[in-house]
Structures are given as C-alpha cells and as structure tokens.
Amino acid sequence: SSGRDPAARARAPNFAPRPARWARGRCPERGRALGEAAMEAGSARVLQLVADGEISQLVAACEELELAIQEESLMALTDEQVATCSVLYSVHLLAYLLEGEMNAARFLWKRTPTAVQQHAQAEAAHRVLAARWRRQYPDLFRELAESPWESRLQPLVAEVVTRTRSSLVAQIGQAYKAISVERAATMLGLDAAAARALFERQGWPFDEAGNALPMPPKRAEDLMQMGTDQLDRLAEYVAYLEQPQCRI
C-alpha cells in the first residue's frame, strides 16, 4: 500500500524469474547439475536412436542435444564429459553425412569444443568427413573400417558404409558404360572379387575383357519421362566422380 515504509519496500526481495544464464552465473553448482541432467537425457535419446536404427530422427535429436552441450561447455568439461561428447559429436557428424548435409557437418566441426576435437572418436569422424568432402572414397571406407569405433557407434558406422557404397554403385551405373572391376573396387573400398559379386547382384553383365557393364537403375523409357533438371544431373555424374580434390 502507499503507506508502506519505503525502506521496507527497498528491502523486499525481488521474486521475478531470472534467465537461465543468471542461474548458472550466480549458482554454478546448480547450473552444472541442470546442464549435466540435460546432457544425460539428450545423450540417452541419441544413443537409443542409434541402437534402434532410427537414423531418420538422428539429425534433429543431435541438433537439440548440441544446444545442451554448448551451454555446458561454458564451464570446463570434465574428462568423462569430453569422452561422452566425443561420441555424441561423432554421431552428429555421421548423421549429417548420411543426410548428405556436408556443409552442416563442416560447420559442426568448426564449433566443436577443442577438447572434444582432440578425442580419438571425434578425430576419426572428422577424417571420414574430410575424405567424403574430398571424394577420396578409398580413404573414407578405410577410415570407416579401421578406426577404433566405440561399440555404441558401430551400427551407425555400418549404416554409413552401406549407404555410401550403395550411392556410389548407383552413380557408377549412371556415369559409366564400362568400367574395370579393379577400378570400381578401389572406389568402393572392396577387393575385386567382392566388387564383382556386388555387380553380379546388381544384374550387371561383363564384357570379354572382364569389365563391368553398368546398368542404370532407370529404364530408357523411364528416362524419357524425366524433367530437364534430372537429365542435367545425370550428365554431371562423371564430373562428380572424377572431380579433383577439394579442401575442407
């Protein structure tokens, strides 16, 4: 009321809500607890999606989790958190690769905390990203096969191998009328026998010299119904496969 002692009013506490960053700054222990809880919940969801093979939901879940990690990284990460974040950033990078979002993957790496970048899991994921960006497919498949991936990452790594190889086979089918099995095998990260068996499963014939004769997935009559933009894309596949290395 208007008759209230002004000094008493001045002493009255202000119960207006404070922003989250104020809470972290004034109550660091409480802020850390909140950050750790958010990270744990988000981490569990992302890793469960990987285990369940729910790949289509990974990017959205990883992007949401990254916000919690970035907030937590305002304070020093513990060694355990660095190891956990390394796995999670690796999932995020590989999920972007599966979606073909190469620029998003590059920018994710640039904003990854330095301590996380230096961890073995994140370094391996970045080498895969760099090989993919430069279209060095033999290096990409070697990194996927030989890097010491943690067991929780292995289902996602296997999916990257499968999808990348399948995409390359489709591109070879559209770009080449004939290709040596050995050359194609190198591109696909396979030995010649495995590559030949793969082409046989695709129904590709072979000429007398043993070269594969790729068959595009679309029949000729289907191609006649395609739009101009799609036909232009077919003409770019050879240039795409043969393009010189790019920097990342």
Side-chain angles (χ1 to χ4, degrees):
S1 67
S2 59
R4 186 178 179 184
D5 180 8
R9 289 200 302 270
R11 293 192 299 272
N14 180 3
F15 291 104
R18 302 292 190 184
R21 289 184 184 275
W22 178 89
R24 280 176 170 267
R26 295 289 296 275
C27 306
E29 293 303 322
R30 180 169 178 266
R32 178 173 289 278
L34 291 172
E36 289 177 350
M39 282 180 60
E40 288 176 4
S43 300
R45 178 166 183 262
V46 166
L47 294 174
Q48 190 62 52
L49 289 173
V50 173
D52 293 343
E54 299 289 346
I55 306 301
S56 62
Q57 301 179 43
L58 264 182
V59 166
C62 287
E63 288 175 347
E64 183 177 341
L65 175 59
E66 187 194 358
L67 297 177
I69 294 176
Q70 291 289 350
E71 184 74 8
E72 183 67 16
S73 68
L74 292 173
M75 297 178 287
L77 293 171
T78 66
D79 290 344
E80 183 179 356
Q81 287 175 327
V82 168
T84 298
C85 288
S86 178
V87 172
L88 297 171
Y89 272 94
S90 297
V91 171
H92 201 166
L93 284 169
L94 296 177
Y96 275 143
L97 260 64
L98 283 173
E99 298 298 327
E101 298 185 25
M102 297 300 299
N103 283 326
R106 292 176 64 213
F107 287 117
L108 171 63
W109 179 253
K110 292 179 185 297
R111 63 179 182 267
T112 299
T114 302
V116 177
Q117 286 184 344
Q118 295 171 350
H119 193 275
Q121 294 294 300
E123 286 181 336
H126 181 251
R127 289 194 298 270
V128 172
L129 168 64
R132 175 63 183 81
W133 180 263
R134 295 167 182 150
R135 300 189 177 96
Q136 296 173 335
Y137 293 105
D139 292 342
L140 180 147
F141 287 117
R142 184 176 62 253
E143 291 292 346
L144 289 169
E146 298 179 2
S147 294
W149 303 106
E150 185 180 303
S151 59
R152 292 175 294 179
L153 283 173
Q154 289 174 3
L156 183 59
V157 170
E159 185 70 15
V160 174
V161 171
T162 298
R163 289 200 196 180
T164 303
R165 189 166 284 148
S166 177
S167 176
L168 273 177
V169 169
Q171 291 170 25
I172 291 171
Q174 293 168 321
Y176 292 90
K177 291 184 177 179
I179 185 171
S180 73
V181 172
E182 290 75 14
R183 182 182 181 191
T186 299
M187 295 170 61
L188 295 168
L190 297 170
D191 59 40
R196 185 180 181 93
L198 174 59
F199 300 152
E200 288 173 348
R201 291 195 297 272
Q202 298 291 317
W204 293 2
F206 299 86
D207 63 17
E208 294 180 355
N211 296 315
L213 306 177
M215 298 177 63
K218 289 282 188 179
R219 299 191 305 267
E221 58 266 32
D222 295 327
L223 294 177
M224 295 301 294
Q225 299 173 8
M226 296 174 67
T228 303
D229 291 342
Q230 291 171 296
L231 291 173
D232 288 342
R233 288 187 63 192
L234 293 181
E236 295 173 357
Y237 275 126
V238 171
Y240 175 84
L241 293 171
E242 302 293 342
Q243 184 170 335
Q245 298 178 7
C246 300
R247 298 187 63 185
I248 183 171

